[in-house]
Amino acid sequence: MLSRSLFLTGVFMASAAFAADPTPEQIQFFESKVRPVLSAKCYKCHSLEEGKAKGGLTLDSKAGLLKGGDTGDALKAGDPDGSLMIQAIGYKDKDLQMPPKGEKLTNSEIADLTAWVKMGAPDPRKEVAATKLTGLTDKAREHWAFQPVKKPAIPLVKNRAWCVTPVDAFVLQQLEAKGMVPSPPATKEALLRRATYDLLGLPPTPQEIYAFLADDSPQAFVKVVDRLLASPHYGERWARYWLDSARYSDTTGGERNAARADYRFPYAWTYRDWVIKSFNDDMPYDQFILQQLAADKLPKNTTANAAALGFITVGEQFENANDVINDRIDVVTKGFLGLTVSCARCHDHMFDPIPTEDYYALHGIFASTIEPGEQPLLGVTSDVKLAEDFKQKLAAIEQENRTKYYDVISEQTALFREKPSAYLVAGHKRAQASSEKDQLEADQIIRDQKLDVQLMREVLRELRKDDPILGPLARFINGGEKPAVILADLEKPESKVNPLVAGAFKGATPKTLEEFAKLYDKAFASVGSKAKDVVQAYATAQSGAVTVDATMAQLVEFPFELVAVSELSTNRLRQISGNWPQQMQNKANFSFAKINELLLTHDGAPSKAMAVADAMKPRDSQVFIRGQADVRGDSVPRRFLEVLSDGRPRAFKQGSGRLELAQAIASKKNPLTARVLVNRVWMHHFGQGFVRTPDDIGTQSEAPSHPELIDYLSHYFMEQGWSQKKLHKLIMLSKVYQNSSYKNAAYEVSDPENRLLWRANIRRLDFESLRDSLLVYSGQLDRALVRNANGTISPAGGQPVNLTDEPYSYRRSVYGYIDRGNLPELMSSFDFSNPEMTNSARTTTIVPQQALFLMNSPMAVDVARRIIARPEVASVREDHTRILRIYEIIFQRQPSPTEIKVGVEFLTAENRAQTALVASMKDNVEKAQKDVEKKQSEMMGRNDGAKAIQNEGKLVERRSLTPYETYAHALILSNEASYIN
């Protein structure tokens, strides 16, 4: 059998299947998920830089990993099940366990390493000596994205007549250089559809189509763009894009959090609503940044803007506070700057000029940022009945939790008071065991006395010299002081030892641990009969003053904390119980989930902001050497990134530094902020950005397709007051935006990816646009920004709604409930953004599940039926007119004569087929009826025959799709319904 020590020398030996050139996504996964685990759990024993290579294995470089150790292959890239590495970290074999000492890796860490091996174990690392300063080179600093934004001159082109805006000139310049010409203009119907989806995420109505077709004025499309930008649905569409960048979710996420009953965020939706309103109000982007990072620090700020701070807090909640900070650094730097700063957590960035000190400068900012116990109130319902109903339901749950709190405290403290000396002696012997004999003695006491080990650990935490109860014992066993000195100090007036404990020690002459511990039996016995009364006094102290002797209360509550019911808010209870042993938490089984559910779903619940605040004493962070929190380097002042600072970055002095960070990001001098936003806006209009990695425009990104144009638009954006609506308008009024998607065979060869923009890109609808479009087709979309249960309409948003399960809501998809830890399969199938991290560019796939949903889901079938039931369709009898109306609803255009002919032929064939099917089904029912009558006498007491008739009857009674409904369903399934051309 392979020994543990021998296995560990080669546990990370990699096969030749390692990816030679990891993709940017793989690099990000390695840096955020894999390297931190290797650094924290493995480098202490397997690091060339540390000079430790047990078994000949080093793990701090790709070369070391490939070389392996003395054992042989232990990692098969692409095959987690066949990798001894995965077996070891999973502790599947007692002789193959990694790490061999200390705590096993968490489930999420194991899952990340398994996923890494499955994807081929891509590793971007170089030799250790070469990685130290790779990202700090002058070449990296000279990267185009780090240079100041300058307004380039509008180029001169041959075909000036084609250029309507400066955007056209920059695009045409490159086309003419290649001897290419743009595609013809799009039809008015195609252009209206494109613009409406781009700005609203919805299809245009037939009435809007008629109006645009009838408008022959030069300003026709200008009026369309102005109308769309003024629509409240614009904010809903573009807020959803930003929510992807902000890794928005209504739950805390993660495997550990998903197992908790209270893993929901009851107020995440207030951040979502703030974003929607900000887009509709065209909030200047620099203000948009300031509000989300430091709304609480801005002068003359409104309470409503406190909801903006949800940007910081709606991320995944990790058990390790440093992981939470890392998530916040990641979303800020990717979201606003397009940089992967979190890659510098364990080492200097391998590619970009971002040293580890930069990461920990930001770490100090967020380490000095806290979430207040009481969140800012944004508003309450005006419906008195709803408010009262909510208040009563909340009070009932809170009372239930308080009762559990006092019950569990009473039970656990009583367990200790029964055997104080046994807990103290066994606990100390176990904690200080210097031999196997001591350990066995402690374990024997625990078994004989039937002690609660978790309770024992809580008692030992109080074993401090300054503790008013266990102080004397701590001085004896930890300080080595003489008993006589300790007892004499108890008589002094300045003694802070509990008088009942001091009284138990009076006149005693203890010399051993056991004798000292026995005195505690006497002290705690003195309060045993009064314990219930003390707990009851705390449980009924409504005014805040507890009318019991404080000396007695100290012993009754030991080793936990009794809080008066008047001060026992839900937040306080969460805080207290969060420090309890797991066993106690399980016994209490607090109904926090019920409270979260009530806050999230009840229309009478108040709305609050998921805000942050500065810690009372902001502090700088020390560098974690190789990302290990227990190996600290120098302290780094809170400040901005060096490469984006004018000279040496100045330390932040205002509280945590969040406001100064926000101001540095939102500055016109910052070369990244405007470029990142412009790149994303362009991406959403054209299907791909100037740079196709919108969350990483550092040195590893491709060069922009139109470097002068991105700078021109960035300068224009800032010059126009950071207005996104003005940016949209400039782009959409250009000729290049209004191009058709007509394909030129020669151009497809020379520029197959259309990077030069000689035609419009055909783009697939995302999940939200597809779902919302189906509701528009059926006439069911609830266009109100929010509709409350009592029928009233609030000015914005509201609590999340169910999108994927019946009975589902008819509200827009942006208001859907997003579960970070359990994203619905339907949303995943349609490439919904992964809310675990910033994800500004969704993937686009074509998988069978998408077609199967549109073919078989009750929702899609119902949409087909409702299209045919719409008045403009149902009121006409002629086939060609009905087909025209259906085309206008689904495709927002009129059908060609050929399409009408094909449609009529389809309807005729479908009608014949359905007539034959119904006749066949009727024959089956008649046959079943005869069979039942024939065997009825044989079925005494059985209902098989009746069931057979009933089931066959349902086939006939169930109204299958009519030919027209089948036709509408077929059009919904077509590519044209799912794409924008």
Side-chain angles (χ1 to χ4, degrees):
M1 182 176 292
L2 185 65
S3 72
R4 177 191 296 171
S5 60
L6 282 176
F7 168 73
L8 289 173
T9 63
V11 68
F12 288 104
M13 177 62 185
S15 74
F18 271 85
D21 296 307
T23 66
E25 292 78 11
Q26 290 173 333
I27 292 173
Q28 171 61 17
F29 186 88
F30 180 87
E31 297 296 355
S32 63
K33 301 290 187 180
V34 178
R35 193 196 291 261
V37 178
L38 297 179
S39 177
K41 305 295 174 68
C42 309
Y43 284 3
K44 291 180 181 178
C45 300
H46 303 283
S47 168
L48 183 63
E49 193 172 2
E50 282 289 311
K52 296 181 180 179
K54 290 188 177 181
L57 176 68
T58 59
L59 300 175
D60 52 349
S61 71
K62 181 178 179 179
L65 185 61
L66 286 169
K67 179 183 177 183
D70 302 333
T71 311
D73 289 352
L75 186 152
K76 295 182 180 179
D79 183 14
D81 294 336
S83 296
L84 292 178
M85 166 188 174
I86 303 303
Q87 295 178 24
I89 61 177
Y91 282 32
K92 296 178 181 179
D93 187 325
K94 66 178 181 179
D95 294 314
L96 299 176
Q97 295 183 351
M98 191 279 176
K101 296 180 180 180
E103 294 185 359
K104 175 185 175 184
L105 300 187
T106 66
N107 290 338
S108 61
E109 289 171 336
I110 293 172
D112 290 337
L113 289 175
T114 302
W116 176 61
V117 174
K118 188 173 183 179
M119 70 174 67
D123 190 340
R125 297 175 299 170
K126 310 296 180 185
E127 293 297 330
V128 174
T131 63
K132 184 67 179 174
L133 296 173
T134 298
L136 301 177
T137 63
D138 289 339
K139 182 178 179 181
R141 294 174 186 272
E142 292 167 2
H143 179 59
W144 69 271
F146 301 137
Q147 307 313 307
V149 175
K150 295 180 180 179
K151 185 178 181 179
I154 300 172
L156 296 176
V157 293
K158 297 176 184 177
N159 187 7
R160 297 183 186 180
W162 187 81
C163 299
V164 175
T165 71
V167 173
D168 299 319
F170 286 103
V171 173
L172 188 59
Q173 179 188 40
Q174 291 201 24
L175 291 175
E176 289 183 343
K178 298 290 185 179
M180 303 166 71
V181 296
S183 293
T187 65
K188 293 190 76 172
E189 291 166 311
L191 182 59
L192 179 65
R193 186 173 191 266
R194 182 188 303 168
T196 309
Y197 269 116
D198 273 8
L199 291 183
L200 306 187
L202 298 171
T205 66
Q207 293 73 25
E208 290 167 346
I209 298 170
Y210 301 149
F212 186 47
L213 290 175
D215 190 345
D216 294 328
S217 70
Q219 297 298 306
F221 189 59
V222 176
K223 288 184 280 187
V224 165
V225 173
D226 287 340
R227 171 176 60 80
L228 295 175
L229 288 172
S231 168
H233 300 307
Y234 160 78
E236 293 173 318
R237 176 56 167 171
W238 282 81
R240 182 60 256 181
Y241 289 140
W242 179 253
L243 294 175
D244 285 359
S245 299
R247 83 307 188 210
Y248 174 83
S249 173
D250 293 296
T251 65
T252 59
E255 184 175 321
R256 182 185 68 86
N257 290 319
R260 290 171 40 193
D262 61 331
Y263 72 110
R264 297 180 183 88
F265 287 137
Y267 301 118
W269 59 270
T270 63
Y271 170 67
R272 175 248 289 155
D273 287 357
W274 181 87
V275 175
I276 292 173
K277 186 176 186 303
S278 297
F279 274 93
N280 277 332
D281 293 346
D282 197 22
M283 177 182 286
Y285 186 62
D286 58 345
Q287 285 297 312
F288 187 71
I289 296 169
L290 293 171
Q291 296 288 353
Q292 291 180 89
L293 292 180
D296 57 317
K297 310 295 288 183
L298 295 173
K300 299 180 181 179
N301 205 34
T302 63
T303 304
N305 281 328
L309 296 169
F311 173 77
I312 297 174
T313 55
V314 297
E316 186 172 344
Q317 300 297 292
F318 299 90
E319 190 171 359
N320 185 331
N322 289 312
D323 290 337
V324 175
I325 293 172
N326 182 72
D327 167 76
R328 293 174 179 180
I329 292 173
D330 191 55
V331 74
V332 168
T333 54
K334 278 186 185 173
F336 295 125
L337 300 173
L339 289 179
T340 56
V341 173
S342 60
C343 291
R345 182 178 183 179
C346 305
H347 55 85
D348 291 343
H349 201 292
M350 293 183 63
F351 308 109
D352 293 333
I354 304 170
T356 305
E357 286 79 4
D358 275 4
Y359 177 90
Y360 288 97
L362 301 182
H363 185 284
I365 295 172
F366 292 105
S368 302
T369 301
I370 62 170
E371 296 181 44
E374 190 60 36
Q375 295 148 321
L377 180 67
L378 298 176
V380 295
T381 180
S382 59
D383 189 311
V384 177
K385 289 184 179 180
L386 274 177
E388 184 59 30
D389 183 66
F390 167 78
K391 183 178 179 181
Q392 291 178 4
K393 290 178 178 176
L394 178 62
I397 301 172
E398 289 180 333
Q399 182 56 47
E400 176 187 340
N401 283 339
R402 293 185 187 113
T403 299
K404 290 178 179 179
Y405 164 77
Y406 291 115
D407 287 347
V408 172
I409 284 284
S410 296
E411 176 187 332
Q412 292 295 299
T413 55
L415 281 177
F416 174 74
R417 287 195 301 274
E418 289 174 4
K419 304 167 184 177
S421 59
Y423 275 101
L424 293 170
V425 172
H428 179 67
K429 284 182 176 292
R430 198 180 204 198
Q432 301 296 324
S434 57
S435 66
E436 187 175 352
K437 179 183 177 184
D438 292 339
Q439 183 69 47
L440 291 174
E441 285 182 5
D443 291 344
Q444 189 65 46
I445 297 173
I446 292 170
R447 286 194 297 271
D448 292 346
Q449 296 292 329
K450 298 180 179 179
L451 304 182
D452 184 322
V453 176
Q454 290 190 15
L455 175 60
M456 185 171 68
R457 293 196 188 104
E458 292 301 309
V459 171
L460 291 181
R461 288 179 181 175
E462 306 303 317
L463 195 61
R464 307 182 310 272
K465 292 182 181 181
D466 60 346
D467 185 75
I469 295 173
L470 297 188
L473 181 62
R475 290 174 63 183
F476 174 69
I477 61 178
N478 295 334
E481 298 184 48
K482 294 181 179 180
V485 175
I486 297 172
L487 298 179
D489 286 345
L490 298 181
E491 302 291 336
K492 296 178 181 179
E494 63 269 21
S495 173
K496 295 182 180 179
V497 174
N498 184 287
L500 292 176
V501 173
F505 277 69
K506 194 169 185 177
T509 56
K511 294 183 175 60
T512 65
L513 167 66
E514 288 75 10
E515 290 174 352
F516 256 97
K518 278 293 182 183
L519 296 175
Y520 282 98
D521 287 343
K522 179 180 178 182
F524 280 96
S526 68
V527 300
S529 61
K530 302 291 181 66
K532 288 185 178 180
D533 293 337
V534 171
V535 174
Q536 184 63 20
Y538 275 86
T540 56
Q542 295 295 338
S543 64
V546 183
T547 57
V548 295
D549 179 67
T551 297
M552 185 184 300
Q554 272 190 334
L555 292 182
V556 170
E557 70 179 353
F558 186 85
F560 301 105
E561 178 185 12
L562 266 175
V563 177
V565 68
S566 59
E567 300 175 2
L568 194 61
S569 65
T570 294
N571 284 335
R572 183 79 185 276
L573 183 55
R574 283 178 188 269
Q575 181 183 21
I576 293 171
S577 62
N579 295 320
W580 282 359
Q582 189 61 49
Q583 180 177 300
M584 274 183 72
Q585 294 185 41
N586 294 340
K587 284 184 177 180
N589 191 25
F590 291 116
S591 299
F592 294 139
K594 289 183 180 179
I595 292 177
N596 274 3
E597 183 176 359
L598 190 69
L599 292 170
L600 190 66
T601 60
H602 197 290
D603 288 297
S607 59
K608 295 186 177 182
M610 289 183 61
V612 295
D614 284 357
M616 290 293 292
K617 295 181 178 180
R619 59 183 176 84
D620 296 330
S621 289
Q622 293 174 281
V623 172
F624 296 177
I625 306 299
R626 294 177 304 282
Q628 299 177 70
D630 56 345
V631 184
R632 305 291 181 95
D634 294 336
S635 179
V636 182
R638 303 187 302 283
R639 57 169 176 76
F640 196 38
L641 304 179
E642 181 181 349
V643 71
L644 300 180
S645 301
D646 186 10
R648 187 170 183 81
R650 291 174 295 180
F652 294 157
K653 300 296 185 182
Q654 301 176 33
S656 66
R658 280 184 294 116
L659 177 58
E660 292 158 290
L661 172 63
Q663 290 168 334
I665 293 174
S667 170
K668 289 183 178 181
K669 294 181 179 180
N670 188 321
L672 290 176
T673 306
R675 284 181 172 130
V676 168
L677 189 280
V678 164
N679 188 57
R680 289 178 185 158
V681 170
W682 189 267
M683 174 185 70
H684 292 309
H685 280 305
F686 289 89
Q688 55 185 355
F690 299 111
V691 180
R692 288 178 288 189
T693 50
D695 297 329
D696 181 8
I697 64 171
T699 60
Q700 285 299 101
S701 67
E702 64 182 346
S705 60
H706 296 76
E708 291 183 321
L709 179 53
I710 190 174
D711 273 17
Y712 180 89
L713 291 174
S714 298
H715 189 277
Y716 173 88
F717 178 49
M718 293 186 287
E719 193 178 50
Q720 295 296 316
W722 301 85
S723 168
Q724 292 195 55
K725 287 190 176 183
K726 290 181 179 179
L727 180 63
H728 287 304
K729 190 169 181 178
L730 175 64
I731 291 171
M732 295 176 71
L733 294 183
S734 67
K735 277 291 190 89
V736 66
Y737 177 82
Q738 299 175 41
N739 272 357
S740 69
S741 56
Y742 172 80
K743 291 188 177 182
N744 181 306
Y747 297 175
E748 287 290 330
V749 175
S750 60
D751 183 24
E753 295 181 305
N754 191 32
R755 294 298 283 153
L756 298 180
L757 298 172
W758 51 272
R759 61 170 171 82
N761 287 312
I762 298 175
R763 293 171 281 144
R764 187 174 178 83
L765 294 181
D766 58 19
F767 167 76
E768 293 90 338
S769 291
L770 182 64
R771 176 187 173 275
D772 292 351
S773 293
L774 292 175
L775 295 178
V776 170
Y777 302 160
S778 66
Q780 291 177 292
L781 181 68
D782 186 348
R783 290 177 178 265
L785 295 192
V786 66
R787 192 176 300 283
N788 298 323
N790 64 350
T792 61
I793 296 176
S794 300
Q799 296 155 330
V801 297
N802 175 37
L803 297 181
T804 57
D805 302 315
E806 295 186 84
Y808 44 75
S809 170
Y810 296 127
R811 296 192 62 208
R812 289 206 66 177
S813 300
V814 69
Y815 300 115
Y817 176 75
I818 308 301
D819 187 341
R820 176 180 278 118
N822 186 27
L823 201 63
E825 184 178 352
L826 174 63
M827 299 172 77
S828 297
S829 296
F830 281 93
D831 306 315
F832 190 84
S833 178
N834 178 1
E836 289 187 353
M837 62 182 69
T838 292
N839 187 24
S840 301
R842 297 187 186 182
T843 57
T844 301
T845 63
I846 302 175
V847 295
Q849 292 91 329
Q850 297 168 356
L852 290 172
F853 169 78
L854 292 172
M855 289 173 64
N856 302 319
S857 75
M859 178 184 181
V861 173
D862 183 62
V863 168
R865 287 176 172 150
R866 290 180 179 273
I867 289 172
I868 304 306
R870 286 178 58 154
E872 63 266 46
V873 178
S875 62
V876 296
R877 295 295 174 220
E878 301 84 359
D879 285 342
H880 70 279
T881 306
R882 273 196 170 190
I883 291 172
L884 185 146
R885 297 284 183 264
I886 295 170
Y887 262 70
E888 288 176 340
I889 292 169
I890 299 176
F891 300 142
Q892 299 87 55
R893 67 174 177 84
Q894 295 186 355
S896 68
T898 300
E899 288 169 329
I900 292 177
K901 180 176 179 292
V902 170
V904 171
E905 291 172 351
F906 177 93
L907 292 168
T908 302
E910 184 67 19
N911 193 38
R912 283 198 298 265
Q914 290 197 14
T915 300
L917 178 63
V918 171
S920 174
M921 292 171 67
K922 286 182 177 178
D923 290 343
N924 289 339
V925 173
E926 291 174 1
K927 184 178 183 299
Q929 179 68 46
K930 290 178 181 179
D931 289 343
V932 170
E933 291 173 355
K934 181 179 179 180
K935 298 181 179 181
Q936 195 167 20
S937 59
E938 303 173 11
M939 295 184 176
M940 299 296 294
R942 296 175 62 190
N943 61 357
D944 303 58
K947 284 184 177 179
I949 295 173
Q950 185 181 33
N951 290 339
E952 288 291 339
K954 283 182 177 179
L955 292 175
V956 176
E957 292 172 6
R958 185 180 63 196
R959 185 170 74 90
S960 60
L961 291 179
T962 67
Y964 268 110
E965 292 167 347
T966 303
Y967 178 64
H969 193 198
L971 295 186
I972 290 171
L973 282 165
S974 67
N975 279 344
E976 185 173 351
S978 298
Y979 284 85
I980 307 168
N981 59 26

